[in-house]
Amino acid sequence: MALNLTRRKFLQTASLAAASAAMSGCFARQANASTPFVKKPFTAPGSFAGTKTAVGGVCEMCFWRCQLVGKVRDGKLVKLEGNPKSIDNGQSICARGNAGVKLLYDPDRLKFPMKNVGKRGAPEWKRISWTEALDECATKLKAVVDKHGPQGIAIFPHGSSAKYPMTFFENVVGTPNNSEASFFQCRGIRDTAYVATLGVAPGENVDMANAKAIFLLGGHFGENVHVSHLKRYLKGLENGAKLIVVDPRFSASVSKADIWVKIKPGTDTAFLLAIMNYLIKEGKYDKKYVAEHGKGFDEFSKGIAHATLKWAAKTCDVPEKQIKQVADMLAANAPNVSIHPGRHVSWHGNDFQRERALACLTGLLGAIGVKGGFVAGKGPKTGKAGWPKPMAEHAEKFALHKMAKVYKFSPPGTPTDLIRNAAVTGKPYAIKGFVAWGQNPIQTVPDQALTIKMLEQMDFVMVCDVMPTDITMYADILLPESSYLERYDHIQKGTQWNFADPHQQFISARMPLVSPTAADHERKESVWIMNELAKRMGYGEHIKVKSAEDMINTMLKDANLTIEQLVKEDGIHLQPGVDPYGKALDVEFHSAELAEAGYPAIPTYVPVPEPPKGFARLVYGRAPMHTFNRTQNNTWLHNEMPINPVWLNDECAKKMGLKDGDTIELVNQDGVKSRTSSVVKVTPGIRKDTVYTAHGYGTMNKAMTVGVGAGIDDQSLITKVAVDPETGAHGMRNNFVKFIKNGKVLSIPA
Amino acid sequence: MSQYGMIIDLEKCVGCHACAIACRAEWEVPTGKDSAERERRRNWVTRLGPTKTPKGLASTYYPGLCNHCDKPACVDVCPADKVEVTFTDAKSGKTKKMEVAATWKDPFNGTVQIDKERCLGCGACADACPYSARYVNEEESDPKADKCTFCVERVAEGLEPACVQTCLARARIFGDLNDPNSEVAKYVKKGAAKLESAKVKIGPNVRYYGNKKDMHLLTTTCTPQAMPQANLRRTIMAHMLKPAMDQVKGLGMLGLAGAVIVKGLSDDEKE
């Protein structure tokens, strides 16, 4: 009989033991003859003790993809660390990266192929074999293609492992209806706006580490964490760079800023135009750069002449002298300034223009190809592998935005809104097959009710993921995928993060850190799943790679590498790099291409709807311990921030009778209430017309036993969609909320 | 003699919580069940503000861990029997014998450590710490007190503490405060501050460095203002139970009292 004593029991039984201690005399005699008490080790051994280091990990807790090593003991992953050989993240990984272990061993993970024998949205799951699952998926998807054409299928992919299935459906099946919503709603606008202005997609290619001034529009670094990205930012600050942050909220970045522009949401383009107009009027721009590389500068300067400091001050609710101060600070430090292109940029439906303005400001300051400016590192080359494109032309022909002649600057794929509308209305054609792969459209696309309506009218819904999410509740067949720690699937490459360091390039490939084979599950990697489906759907002849491993080896071939060689090199191949500086880019201040397409040829401010009386604008952002909804079920990450407090201005809170920490719900302008509650965070660090919370909380899937119902799902309150006319991306910050406390609706005072 | 210490540079810290999670992974730290446990365990980050300070609006972080104090409040309250232990200085090889209970301050590196083999799991040390930097690991079958060790086990292997290694901002700096050339000592000279108040002066060896408004926010909200009241019930019970526990262990659960205790426990299981 073992003594299994918990502390609680220990305390509860203390009195009993104390009573028995009176008899201690007899015990003392017997003790000598007793068997020795066997102690268990009480100390965790630490990740360094008795572990083997597995190399070749590439993180996917977010999509920055830091390079990892795994500490493995007895076949179990004990800890993840940054790969010491990395010239990108180095030995550092973020909270989410560190918590990858808990995703790997999350008991709620999808384990077996499942068939929904209940309803979509209220599933009852029956375990089925892979053969049955694949047969059914293939039959049902093929039936859609046969009946409605390839365009009858919509795919919602996200992440490394979804790329192979995505290109299969686009290129081989031939559907244009690919909504990489998480890219589309995130960076898509930025990419097409910069391409239209500077000819290149910007990435996050600002050399912040060597900048004299850094300009962030809504960037909340610290709350938004990407390791090497933040290293650049922090290095810049350490070197004395001035930091200007434009944000309605006192964000993590504002707390380090020299200037906080507490802007009225939606007016950013007006702010940028006034800065540019002022710089031009005062002759404080880079005349040489503009003369050599500017296009349509005269039209541009005339076209923005109306944007005076006074006008912008009124429009943006920012002091006139502060706009001047920002402009002067940028000019004084030009050209070594980082005008950050932003990341999640679909805000108000006027976002393409704002991104254009940012690109123009970069050009106006001559901050291109120079230290601290807009500079892309020159990474190494690797090859491609995947699917041929027999049906690419068909897909192109049925692209909804092209058929309707709208959204001419749309990012790759089809605007989500058009896919959803076509599905719901059946016009211009029916969309009856739905595939989500690693994406949770319930929480990436506004108007959940409409998304659900789209799902309900489908003939077939297939979802493949690692974890249950809100979308998995709507699957007919649910397929379990191996996690990023158990599979091959991605080449990560780049340069050293600080361009001031010797120029280097790296190539790494995601390799399994632990074996996915275990008795209690049947997870598979995406290339296997997709190939099996392709064969069953009759597309077997197009298969070019046998497995994910084969795919990676093919891609490495062009770099004269193999997986084996990468392992020998501790997971990362390093080679000499090239100086990234010195490349100028032409700047389309006035774009004939845009004019021809019927859009404003110069960056233009388009006002956005104001909050109705009693409401404040709902703005959302990121928390450093979560990647949207994807990480909500991670025990460690949940523990760091279990709910998402809603920021409310302190003066408003006082008038509303709300105290910091009060439990609240939210209700939006359309009367939609949050399904769950959160707490209010009362702070002077936010405008009165704005409330803020972290995105991704409040999942409704009970299969996420840790995350379910925790905090408020901001997406559920985003029912009004603002569509960006150039790109078709959804602006998600034109929704307005009131608070509810104890069932009573509280208006927000102006 | 060394005094290991840590500096947390709030000018660099971005509040990403990587330190807290790396610690959790390294030492299998339980997550705790209620919010109080959640906030103060082994290694934590608490976001402060944005709030008004006399120096302007401020927002910063309180990344916390055991302070490995000069006069640790947790050591003397440990009710475990004292035993003689020989300590060795890693640098000079010098040894020193000391009578210690289940927790002590190392005479050579200044860290505060626990012998979990001898810990009773009573939680008296956790109650005594004004920084709430100790906890009892309830997830173990036999709960024991635990705390930050400054990763001395890793340091002995030539590694950095887990929280320091993962910090992307290099905002956590670990080293010997008694070495004037160490980076930590240089921060002390620059004015890195202890979280100490008039009534809590036990010489913490974790210090914070930041701008005036952030430091104002941190020190006014996170400095303990009073030493915790000892949990009298728990202390008395620990003292009462200890001799009986020793005997039960020695008996291998034989004997009348053992049977009585086991009966009590199995009744408890049924609750």
Side-chain angles (χ1 to χ4, degrees):
Chain A
M1 186 189 292
L3 177 62
N4 186 11
L5 196 63
T6 66
R7 179 163 159 257
R8 187 170 54 86
K9 287 170 187 164
F10 170 99
L11 293 171
Q12 281 173 351
T13 52
S15 346
L16 177 68
S20 68
M23 293 179 275
S24 58
C26 62
F27 298 146
R29 282 192 298 276
Q30 288 181 24
N32 299 330
S34 70
T35 48
F37 183 75
V38 182
K39 291 178 180 175
K40 285 186 199 160
F42 301 121
T43 311
S47 70
F48 56 91
T51 54
K52 281 187 185 156
T53 302
V55 301
V58 175
C59 194
E60 193 150 303
M61 291 297 281
C62 83
F63 298 90
W64 200 255
R65 301 186 177 109
C66 295
Q67 301 96 62
L68 307 171
V69 295
K71 302 287 177 178
V72 181
R73 187 187 292 131
D74 302 328
K76 194 169 188 274
L77 186 70
V78 172
K79 190 172 178 235
L80 292 160
E81 293 184 351
N83 189 326
K85 203 178 167 186
S86 169
I87 55 170
D88 178 46
N89 56 291
Q91 292 203 75
S92 301
I93 48 175
C94 73
R96 294 161 295 166
N98 272 292
V101 177
K102 280 287 168 188
L103 167 72
L104 181 65
Y105 299 118
D106 191 326
D108 292 343
R109 264 185 74 180
L110 305 178
K111 296 181 180 70
F112 307 102
M114 301 293 254
K115 183 179 171 127
N116 185 356
V117 294
K119 283 186 202 151
R120 287 184 195 143
E124 286 169 47
W125 298 112
K126 184 189 154 209
R127 183 180 163 184
I128 54 174
S129 69
W130 269 106
T131 307
E132 191 184 344
L134 291 164
D135 284 348
E136 181 153 350
C137 290
T139 310
K140 295 276 173 67
L141 290 171
K142 194 72 179 60
V144 172
V145 174
D146 291 345
K147 194 170 172 195
H148 303 286
Q151 63 277 10
I153 290 179
I155 171 155
F156 283 63
H158 191 204
S160 306
S161 70
K163 200 173 172 196
Y164 187 74
M166 175 181 100
T167 47
F168 167 76
F169 282 103
E170 278 189 315
N171 299 337
V172 181
V173 177
T175 177
N177 294 312
N178 163 26
S179 171
E180 260 188 290
S182 22
F183 161 75
F184 213 92
Q185 317 297 3
C186 183
R187 296 167 290 133
I189 302 171
R190 177 191 81 179
D191 288 9
T192 55
Y194 269 68
V195 168
T197 314
L198 301 177
V200 293
E204 290 71 30
N205 296 324
V206 274
D207 182 22
M208 291 186 286
N210 301 293
K212 291 181 184 162
I214 299 170
F215 179 85
L216 304 180
L217 204 66
H220 45 305
F221 302 164
E223 290 157 307
N224 184 12
V225 175
H226 299 107
V227 173
S228 56
H229 192 214
L230 286 206
K231 282 185 173 184
R232 287 178 159 193
Y233 160 75
L234 288 166
K235 188 71 184 175
L237 296 185
E238 191 184 320
N239 289 344
K242 298 288 181 195
L243 178 63
I244 302 158
V245 184
V246 183
D247 200 312
R249 180 180 66 100
F250 196 94
S251 68
S253 281
V254 172
S255 72
K256 298 199 186 311
D258 295 281
I259 301 177
W260 174 29
V261 181
K262 195 177 168 183
I263 197 163
K264 180 174 163 184
T267 66
D268 312 81
T269 309
F271 181 76
L272 293 169
L273 294 181
I275 287 175
M276 292 193 282
N277 186 34
Y278 169 82
L279 292 175
I280 295 168
K281 293 267 154 65
E282 299 286 317
K284 288 180 176 175
Y285 66 101
D286 193 328
K287 294 182 191 101
K288 188 164 173 282
Y289 193 92
V290 168
E292 284 171 13
H293 303 285
K295 291 184 175 173
F297 183 71
D298 290 341
E299 290 107 315
F300 171 77
S301 52
K302 270 180 221 143
I304 66 165
H306 68 282
T308 61
L309 296 178
K310 198 175 167 189
W311 168 78
K314 192 161 175 258
T315 307
C316 307
D317 191 20
V318 166
E320 194 175 325
K321 66 173 184 200
Q322 193 185 44
I323 308 175
K324 187 169 170 292
Q325 190 193 1
V326 170
D328 283 334
M329 188 179 273
L330 291 174
N333 292 290
N336 311 106
V337 293
S338 291
I339 306 295
H340 200 289
R343 268 185 72 86
H344 172 67
V345 299
S346 51
W347 299 348
H348 300 105
N350 63 358
D351 307 306
F352 183 86
Q353 295 300 327
R354 185 186 67 248
E355 289 298 311
R356 274 266 292 149
L358 282 169
C360 288
L361 178 60
T362 307
L364 197 65
L365 295 165
I368 297 175
V370 294
K371 274 191 180 168
F374 182 75
V375 185
K378 289 179 184 169
K381 285 209 170 75
T382 49
K384 285 185 176 163
W387 299 96
K389 299 185 176 179
M391 288 295 280
E393 242 171 74
H394 179 92
E396 180 89 7
K397 202 171 123 193
F398 284 90
L400 292 164
H401 55 303
K402 288 179 185 159
M403 289 171 78
K405 296 192 170 57
V406 290
Y407 312 143
K408 291 172 192 164
F409 288 79
S410 168
T414 295
T416 314
D417 206 37
L418 294 183
I419 298 177
R420 193 169 56 182
N421 285 339
V424 170
T425 61
K427 286 172 188 162
Y429 53 74
I431 298 177
K432 293 289 179 184
F434 181 92
V435 177
W437 204 300
Q439 190 193 130
N440 174 18
I442 302 289
Q443 284 185 313
T444 51
V445 189
D447 198 346
Q448 287 176 347
L450 195 58
T451 303
I452 289 166
K453 212 171 158 192
M454 164 182 76
L455 291 164
E456 279 169 350
Q457 67 81 47
M458 293 287 172
D459 288 349
F460 182 64
V461 176
M462 176 187 125
V463 178
C464 179
D465 214 318
V466 175
M467 283 291 299
T469 67
D470 285 1
I471 191 68
T472 62
M473 296 165 71
Y474 292 86
D476 298 334
I477 298 283
L478 180 53
L479 303 176
E481 197 180 6
S482 45
S483 77
Y484 72 98
L485 297 165
E486 304 157 295
R487 68 191 188 210
Y488 296 92
D489 74 1
H490 175 78
I491 303 263
Q492 182 67 6
K493 56 189 178 176
T495 68
Q496 87 284 3
W497 62 273
N498 186 354
F499 295 149
D501 292 340
H503 298 303
Q504 273 188 297
Q505 299 175 334
F506 74 92
I507 300 172
S508 62
R510 178 175 292 141
M511 303 178 210
L513 294 178
V514 281
S515 163
T517 55
D520 67 338
H521 68 81
E522 291 175 357
R523 297 169 190 128
K524 300 281 189 185
E525 47 97 350
S526 68
V527 174
W528 184 88
I529 300 171
M530 199 62 257
N531 282 352
E532 289 300 314
L533 264 178
K535 282 181 213 163
R536 286 166 166 83
M537 288 175 75
Y539 301 102
E541 58 180 307
H542 300 295
I543 295 172
K544 301 283 179 208
V545 293
K546 291 193 293 285
S547 64
E549 192 174 356
D550 182 25
M551 180 174 77
I552 295 302
N553 259 331
T554 310
M555 289 159 89
L556 287 172
K557 213 179 274 171
D558 280 16
N560 290 322
L561 284 167
T562 58
I563 288 173
E564 201 184 359
Q565 179 60 26
L566 267 186
V567 173
K568 272 187 205 154
E569 297 185 34
D570 294 330
I572 300 174
H573 173 74
L574 297 178
Q575 59 193 39
V578 249
D579 187 343
Y581 295 117
K583 194 184 172 202
L585 298 169
D586 286 349
V587 187
E588 302 261 352
F589 288 106
H590 173 280
S591 164
E593 193 193 0
L594 276 163
E596 203 176 307
Y599 299 115
I602 58 166
T604 301
Y605 167 60
V606 183
V608 301
E610 300 276 337
K613 194 166 182 288
F615 287 87
R617 187 181 301 272
L618 174 64
V619 171
Y620 54 88
R622 298 188 67 163
M625 63 294 280
H626 282 298
T627 301
F628 342 117
N629 166 262
R630 294 173 66 89
T631 52
Q632 294 290 333
N633 209 60
N634 188 300
T635 320
W636 288 350
L637 297 174
H638 172 83
N639 187 68
E640 294 299 306
M641 187 172 163
I643 55 169
N644 51 348
V646 182
W647 293 42
L648 174 68
N649 177 274
D650 56 351
E651 289 174 35
C652 293
K654 200 174 172 188
K655 288 181 190 164
M656 293 160 72
L658 285 173
K659 285 190 208 68
D660 192 67
D662 280 356
T663 298
I664 49 97
E665 288 102 42
L666 297 175
V667 58
N668 82 355
Q669 74 284 336
D670 295 331
V672 174
K673 280 184 202 165
S674 55
R675 292 184 299 266
T676 46
S677 62
S678 186
V679 297
V680 60
K681 177 185 171 88
V682 174
T683 172
I686 191 161
R687 289 174 58 92
K688 291 180 183 173
D689 56 5
T690 307
V691 301
Y692 171 89
T693 197
H695 170 65
Y697 282 80
T699 180
M700 53 186 165
N701 192 345
K702 292 191 181 83
M704 293 169 73
T705 57
V706 175
V708 63
I712 284 179
D713 176 10
D714 59 306
Q715 194 64 262
S716 70
L717 298 160
I718 302 173
T719 51
K720 196 157 72 181
V721 185
V723 183
D724 191 51
E726 288 85 356
T727 61
H730 292 147
M732 297 189 275
R733 293 181 179 174
N734 286 356
N735 286 260
F736 310 100
V737 292
K738 287 181 179 179
F739 284 68
I740 304 174
K741 189 190 165 190
N742 297 333
K744 198 181 157 208
V745 177
L746 303 171
S747 289
I748 297 166
Chain B
M1 187 195 129
S2 302
Q3 173 61 57
Y4 282 152
M6 194 176 287
I7 302 292
I8 293 171
D9 186 339
L10 295 174
E11 297 213 325
K12 293 181 176 172
C13 178
V14 290
C16 78
H17 292 239
C19 45
I21 306 280
C23 177
R24 212 173 274 297
E26 184 74 32
W27 300 113
E28 297 171 27
V29 184
T31 44
K33 287 164 196 74
D34 62 44
S35 59
E37 286 180 350
R38 181 180 293 131
E39 281 166 20
R40 303 284 175 81
R41 302 288 290 186
R42 186 168 182 138
N43 191 317
W44 64 87
V45 179
T46 307
R47 185 175 188 167
L48 309 174
T51 192
K52 285 169 188 149
T53 74
K55 321 279 179 193
L57 207 53
S59 178
T60 189
Y61 311 95
Y62 172 30
L65 65 164
C66 171
N67 284 288
H68 298 271
C69 299
D70 295 338
K71 291 173 274 178
C74 51
V75 168
D76 290 345
V77 298
C78 178
D81 280 339
K82 288 201 172 181
V83 294
E84 192 180 80
V85 175
T86 305
F87 292 88
T88 310
D89 184 0
K91 283 184 196 161
S92 63
K94 272 188 208 161
T95 59
K96 186 174 177 180
K97 282 182 183 169
M98 272 170 35
E99 291 260 313
V100 298
T103 185
W104 63 86
K105 184 172 174 68
D106 187 292
F108 292 113
N109 65 23
T111 63
V112 177
Q113 305 291 351
I114 296 179
D115 175 359
K116 274 175 269 179
E117 297 287 312
R118 290 192 293 120
C119 172
L120 300 171
C122 72
C125 57
D127 291 343
C129 176
Y131 300 95
S132 306
R134 282 178 174 247
Y135 60 100
V136 176
N137 188 343
E138 300 274 11
E139 287 180 10
E140 292 287 335
S141 57
D142 192 358
K144 301 287 171 180
D146 214 337
K147 66 182 288 298
C148 161
T149 62
F150 265 160
C151 281
V152 285
E153 304 88 340
R154 284 175 60 93
V155 172
E157 302 266 323
L159 300 165
E160 288 179 310
C163 60
V164 173
Q165 176 179 302
T166 207
C167 180
L168 71 96
R170 307 303 294 161
R172 285 180 177 247
I173 302 116
F174 174 75
D176 181 4
L177 289 163
N178 289 348
D179 171 3
N181 295 318
S182 70
E183 206 185 337
V184 285
K186 284 175 191 164
Y187 264 102
V188 173
K189 268 180 225 153
K190 277 202 292 183
K194 304 173 187 182
L195 294 182
E196 270 190 329
S197 63
K199 288 185 180 159
V200 182
K201 273 200 178 300
I202 56 175
N205 285 304
V206 173
R207 289 174 181 244
Y208 296 82
Y209 180 80
N211 64 36
K212 282 181 183 165
K213 60 181 186 174
D214 289 351
M215 287 304 288
H216 183 276
L217 177 55
L218 174 77
T219 53
T220 53
T221 54
C222 299
T223 308
Q225 297 302 321
M227 292 302 286
Q229 293 290 312
N231 186 327
L232 200 60
R233 178 176 163 270
R234 181 174 290 171
T235 311
I236 290 168
M237 287 195 173
H239 280 285
M240 282 162 66
L241 177 58
K242 198 164 64 73
M245 279 290 294
D246 293 344
Q247 286 151 4
V248 170
K249 284 179 183 178
L251 283 167
M253 294 313 301
L254 296 173
L256 176 62
V260 172
I261 291 175
V262 170
K263 186 175 179 300
L265 292 176
S266 41
D267 287 348
D268 187 45
E269 292 285 7
K270 288 174 205 143
E271 278 175 7

